[in-house]
Amino acid sequence: MRIDGIILREIHLPLLRPFETSFGVTRDRRIVLAEVQSEGLSGWGECTAGEHPFFSGESTDTAWQILLNELAPMLAAASPEHGGDCPRIFHAVRGNPMAKAALENAIWDLEAQREGISLSRLIGGVRESISCGVSLGIQSSIPELLATIEHELAAGYQRIKLKCKPGWDLEVFEHVRERWPEILLSCDANSAYRLRDEEHIVKFDAFDLLMIEQPLWHDDFYFHSVLQRRLNTPICLDESIRNRRDALAAIEMESCKIINIKLGRVGGFSEAIAVHNAALERGIPVWCGGMLESGIGRAHNVALSTLEGFTLPGDVSASARYWTQDIVEPEVTVSAEGEIIVPDTPGRGYETRTDLIEKLTVRRETVRAMAHVA
Ligand code: OSB
Ligand code: MG
């Protein structure tokens, strides 16, 4: 496909309420969007880097720089036929997976539009609806958390994930389990513990958690495998899994029994599908993580979640949980049964609200292929 232009925008989108994890609080999102124009069509991608390099080494500003000065010029000079061509096009740039994913996912969207099929169909998805869970940030009190859980369960969500850290763990689980002994419940530490906390983490086993997500270092496999041997509760890795090789290493070392797949963290659909396939072949269940995405990233997450191996409810939930108004039309909605119906229209399946995006834009750059002068 001929790339006619790549428009990078940074939008500011205030969250309805602050989201607190063990590494910090997010109030307002600064999101980089990539629009790739080709032969009359526009493909869209979202960069899931955070405002600060706290989840991974990337941030909104580093991604903007790498996209503008490195990746977008590379893509503009290439003629990709498929989203799957992008890893080769971006090969010279080390790291920066979230920046790469913004462009690669836009090409997958374009490819689906050109083929006249949904993104889910294009990647080989097998589901017409996906199962949804919610990720609940650290709250200021236990009663406040219990009220939030009550609200999300009433809305139909199938699994509750609690962000945790030392001081916001056992007592919280105890109160939640006392009230809801049967629900699917998990926790996510975002690397808040160390191996010396082993005796403490073993106590999590009493609460019948579906999994403990990323308890130890963000870049570790070995010490998670040591911890997993001491735990009955499955460990799920998020931060540690950057690609298929990492997934293979983690599975072989028994560092985890479940994998969270995030499009941005692994660099886009190509690698996300490769991680999924590696896990599926080895009987390791996967689910789709979230990064407080706007509707564009959310639409890509919906498509990814339709692959066969996504057998656990993901962190893909309704737009209305995050934003007063989302930048897509229709917004992403969740049924009373906690399911998102997968769109079957060509491409991402959710239209971009370009007027609203324009209003929210704080910076914008266009990258075009260098004109070839005869
Ligand atoms: O670790 O899954 C995580 C949000 C920001 C950074 C990391 C994580 C999260 C979430 C939120 O858990 C999931 C969502 O609702 O988008
Ligand atoms: Mg996580």
Side-chain angles (χ1 to χ4, degrees), residues 55 161 163 188 190 213 238-239 260 262:
F55 172 81
K161 164 171 134 183
K163 289 293 189 178
D188 184 359
N190 289 110
E213 191 177 337
D238 173 355
E239 284 89 329
N260 164 333
K262 288 179 177 166

Side-chain angles (χ1 to χ4, degrees), residues 46-313:
E46 172 167 345
C47 176
T48 61
E51 293 65 38
H52 300 279
F54 297 164
F55 172 81
S56 73
E58 292 180 273
S59 70
T60 307
D61 290 311
T62 70
W64 180 269
Q65 193 283 130
I66 293 288
L67 278 161
L68 181 62
N69 298 320
E70 309 286 351
L71 302 174
M74 285 173 170
L75 183 63
S79 299
E81 279 312 309
H82 308 287
D85 296 338
C86 288
R88 182 183 48 76
I89 294 167
F90 299 144
H91 180 72
V93 173
R94 296 234 172 120
N96 297 283
M98 293 172 177
K100 289 174 179 171
L103 289 174
E104 176 175 331
N105 296 348
I107 299 294
W108 283 87
D109 174 22
L110 267 175
E111 186 182 345
Q113 291 179 46
R114 278 169 54 123
E115 298 286 322
I117 58 175
S118 68
L119 188 51
S120 163
R121 275 264 322 266
L122 178 68
I123 65 170
V126 296
R127 294 168 208 288
E128 285 165 12
S129 70
I130 63 162
S131 300
C132 308
V134 288
S135 172
L136 303 181
I138 293 164
Q139 317 273 311
S140 41
S141 71
I142 289 176
E144 203 171 314
L145 174 68
L146 298 180
T148 308
I149 295 173
E150 187 163 16
H151 177 80
E152 302 296 7
L153 290 173
Y157 288 102
Q158 300 180 23
R159 183 227 60 199
I160 302 288
K161 164 171 134 183
L162 305 175
K163 289 293 189 178
C164 68
K165 64 175 184 182
W168 184 264
D169 50 22
L170 296 174
E171 194 192 343
V172 174
F173 306 151
E174 210 164 302
H175 279 90
V176 174
R177 270 301 182 220
E178 200 183 343
R179 179 110 169 248
W180 295 283
E182 306 284 346
I183 58 168
L184 288 184
L185 184 68
S186 70
C187 70
D188 184 359
N190 289 110
S191 306
Y193 300 94
R194 296 295 171 255
L195 204 57
R196 63 172 175 267
D197 302 316
E198 192 175 306
E199 295 309 322
H200 177 72
I201 301 173
V202 166
K203 296 182 186 146
F204 289 23
D205 274 345
F207 301 101
D208 191 26
L209 302 175
L210 190 57
M211 69 191 90
I212 302 176
E213 191 177 337
Q214 200 73 35
L216 306 176
W217 298 268
H218 70 95
D219 55 358
D220 170 75
F221 300 123
Y222 175 70
F223 293 104
H224 279 96
S225 78
V226 173
L227 180 62
Q228 181 68 89
R229 268 183 264 138
R230 292 284 318 278
L231 283 175
N232 293 325
T233 309
I235 290 177
C236 170
L237 290 178
D238 173 355
E239 284 89 329
S240 295
I241 307 292
R242 299 161 303 173
N243 51 45
R244 173 185 159 90
R245 284 181 300 103
D246 282 347
L248 294 176
I251 294 168
E252 205 165 303
M253 293 171 75
E254 300 183 55
S255 310
C256 65
K257 295 178 179 167
I258 298 173
I259 293 176
N260 164 333
I261 303 184
K262 288 179 177 166
L263 280 163
R265 197 192 67 226
V266 303
F269 271 105
S270 302
E271 200 65 32
I273 294 166
V275 171
H276 161 270
N277 293 346
L280 184 64
E281 285 160 17
R282 288 159 185 80
I284 298 290
V286 303
W287 54 279
C288 184
M291 292 292 287
L292 311 175
E293 287 92 345
S294 80
I296 292 171
R298 204 163 290 282
H300 287 114
N301 288 344
V302 171
L304 179 66
S305 305
T306 64
L307 294 179
E308 185 184 348
F310 284 76
T311 52
L312 294 169

